Amino acid sequence: MTAETDARIAHLLHHRKAGLALGEPVVPPISVATTFHLPQTQGAVHSYGRAGQPTWDAVEAQLAILEGAEVVSFPSGMAAITAALLCCLKAGARVMIPSDGYYVTRLLGRDMLQVYGVEVVPVPTLDMESADFTGFDVIYIETPSNPGLDTIDISNIATRAHAAGARVIVDNTTMTPLLQRPLDLGADLVVAADTKAPAGHSDALFGHVAGRDTVLMARVADWRRLSGSVPGPFEAYLVHRGLETLEVRLSRMCASAAVIAERLTKHPDVRAVRYPGLPGDPSNKAVGGQMVNGGFLIGFELADAATAEGFLARCNLIEQATSFGGVHSAGERRARWGDDVADGFIRLSVGVEPVEVLWQSIEAALASPG
Ligand SMILES: *Cc1c(COP(=O)(O)O)cnc(C)c1O
C-alpha cells in the first residue's frame, strides 16, 4: 500500500472522532428512524428515511475517504450499477459492456436497458483496448474481469473514451478502492458490490457509486431518492464495521492467493491457472501499475465438470458458494451459470484461513480420486 492509502485507512478508522460530542458512541448507531423531527422544512440534516439517514452517512463517509470522491450507497452492487448506468444513458444512447464481465450486468443490459431503447454492445474485455468508441455514450469496464481475470488499461480507456465524448464507468468490485483507484485514472464513475470484500463476511448485500462530478453525483443521489433503491440501516452498519478491517483482511487474502496460485501452477492435475500476480499471467502487466497486487481471486481448470465438482465437494476449507471476497475461502464452477469458461473452470476466492492449512486442504482434495 502507498503512504496515501495508509493515511486513508487510518482516517477511515477515526472518521467519526472530530464530530463526536462528550459521551456519544464511538461506533455509529444503527438508526432505524424513517422520520425525523421536522417542525419546519428548512435546515434539517435529515427529513425522511428514503432521502437520507445517519447510518448511510457513516458508511458513505468511510467510502468517500477510500474513494477520494462523493459516494452514494445502494442496497446491492446491482442497484449501484443500475443507478450509474441509468444516470448516464437515455433512449437512443449506446453503451459498451464487457461480454466476459459479471453476468448479471449483461442480463441488465439485454433484458432491461435494451427494452428502454438503449443499444447495448457487448465486447470482450481484451478487445475493448482497441475497440472504436465513436458514437458511444458510456464505456463500461470491469478489470480484472469476473471470472476470467483479464485486465485493461483504465487510463487508456478513459483517454480514448473522453476523446470520443463517452463517459467511463468502472466496476471495481474485484479490487476495492484499496487495490485499484479508477477515478484517479480518469474514470467518471466507479461502481462496486460492497457485498464482497468490503462487507467481507457474506452477510450483507450493499453497493455504492463514487464519482467526482458533483452534478452527475447529484443525479445518482436523486436516482436513489426517486426510485426508492435504498439500503437498509443494518446492512449499512455491517458494511461500516466490515470496512474497518478491509485492509487487514485483504492483506492476508492477497498474500495467501499469491502462494496458492503459485503452487497450483506446479500441480500436475491443474491447468490454465489465472492469477494476475503470477509473473507469467497475461494480466501481470497491470500489477504494480493500476493494480496494487494480484488480488484474492484465482481461476484454474480441472479436467472436466465432474472432476471440478468432486474437488469442491472434498475440500473442507472451500465453501461451495457463489460470490467472493468473504473471510471464508469459496469456490465454484462458473460454467454452471453459463459463463463462457471451460466446464472444469473454478473461480477460487481466497479467504483469511492460515495459508498452509488452506493449501493442505486444497492439495488433499486434488489428490483424492474424483
Ligand atoms: C457481485 C458482483 C456484482 C453485483 O453485486 P450484488 O451486491 O450481488 O448486487 C457486480 N459486479 C461484480 C463484479 C460482482 O462480482
Side-chain angles (χ1 to χ4, degrees):
M1 302 282 171
T2 64
E4 289 86 29
T5 305
D6 283 352
R8 282 187 201 103
I9 294 159
H11 182 194
L12 178 155
L13 283 163
H14 294 280
H15 79 96
R16 281 174 53 80
K17 187 168 192 275
L20 288 180
L22 187 68
E24 280 190 326
V26 169
V27 299
I30 302 173
S31 173
V32 295
T34 56
T35 49
F36 298 82
H37 184 57
L38 211 64
Q40 76 239 2
T41 56
Q42 297 304 306
V45 182
H46 297 297
S47 56
Y48 182 62
R50 180 162 34 72
Q53 61 103 285
T55 320
W56 301 354
D57 293 349
V59 69
E60 287 175 2
Q62 289 178 316
L63 288 166
I65 290 164
L66 292 187
E67 297 279 9
E70 287 178 44
V71 167
V72 178
S73 59
F74 284 92
S76 68
M78 284 316 302
I81 290 167
T82 303
L85 284 168
L86 288 177
C87 286
C88 294
L89 295 169
K90 56 179 193 250
R94 294 174 84 206
V95 54
M96 188 181 288
I97 62 164
S99 59
D100 50 348
Y102 186 59
Y103 76 112
V104 185
T105 307
R106 287 202 303 282
L107 298 183
L108 174 74
R110 192 193 68 191
D111 297 347
M112 298 287 168
L113 298 181
Q114 304 233 114
V115 174
Y116 297 106
V118 172
E119 191 187 339
V120 181
V121 182
V123 173
T125 294
L126 292 178
D127 293 353
M128 282 191 181
E129 200 90 59
S130 57
D132 183 3
F133 294 160
T134 313
F136 280 91
D137 299 275
V138 170
I139 308 299
Y140 181 100
I141 62 174
E142 204 180 292
T143 176
S145 61
N146 169 25
L149 302 178
D150 284 328
T151 56
I152 33 168
D153 185 331
I154 298 170
S155 48
N156 174 44
I157 296 289
T159 306
R160 293 203 305 111
H162 292 156
R167 283 193 173 119
V168 176
I169 302 176
V170 180
D171 183 333
N172 202 33
T173 301
T174 52
M175 284 280 100
T176 85
L178 291 183
L179 301 179
Q180 179 169 270
R181 305 182 53 73
L183 297 171
D184 289 356
L185 303 171
D188 297 282
L189 291 178
V190 157
V191 292
D194 298 303
T195 308
K196 311 292 170 55
H201 295 72
S202 312
D203 56 6
L205 284 163
F206 210 76
H208 75 268
V209 177
R212 294 172 183 162
D213 175 336
T214 307
V215 176
L216 184 55
M217 287 307 291
R219 194 163 163 72
V220 174
D222 278 348
W223 164 266
R224 177 175 65 184
R225 184 172 53 87
L226 302 181
S227 71
S229 181
V230 290
F234 186 56
E235 284 75 12
Y237 174 80
L238 285 175
V239 175
H240 187 279
R241 181 172 160 130
L243 283 167
E244 294 189 326
T245 55
L246 177 61
E247 189 255 346
V248 179
R249 287 182 283 111
L250 280 179
S251 302
R252 166 67 72 89
M253 288 156 63
C254 299
S256 296
V259 169
I260 284 166
E262 215 265 322
R263 292 183 189 175
L264 285 173
T265 61
K266 299 200 175 112
H267 197 285
D269 299 337
V270 177
R271 298 195 300 240
V273 178
R274 288 297 308 268
Y275 178 67
L278 288 171
D281 191 271
S283 294
N284 190 246
K285 57 188 184 307
V287 175
Q290 70 186 25
M291 294 163 68
V292 168
N293 63 30
F296 52 82
L297 290 176
I298 302 173
F300 63 96
E301 289 178 23
L302 296 178
D304 49 33
T307 310
E309 295 291 357
F311 162 75
L312 290 168
R314 279 191 303 273
C315 188
N316 61 348
L317 293 184
I318 297 180
E319 288 296 340
Q320 284 182 276
T322 194
S323 196
F324 58 80
V327 286
H328 319 91
S329 290
E332 70 168 337
R333 210 169 55 76
R334 285 303 292 185
R336 66 182 186 161
W337 298 111
D339 280 353
D340 185 18
V341 290
D343 275 347
F345 174 91
I346 290 173
R347 182 187 66 197
L348 176 64
S349 173
V350 177
V352 301
E353 302 87 354
V355 66
E356 291 304 333
V357 188
L358 181 57
W359 172 251
Q360 281 159 23
S361 81
I362 292 172
E363 202 179 28
L366 284 170
S368 321

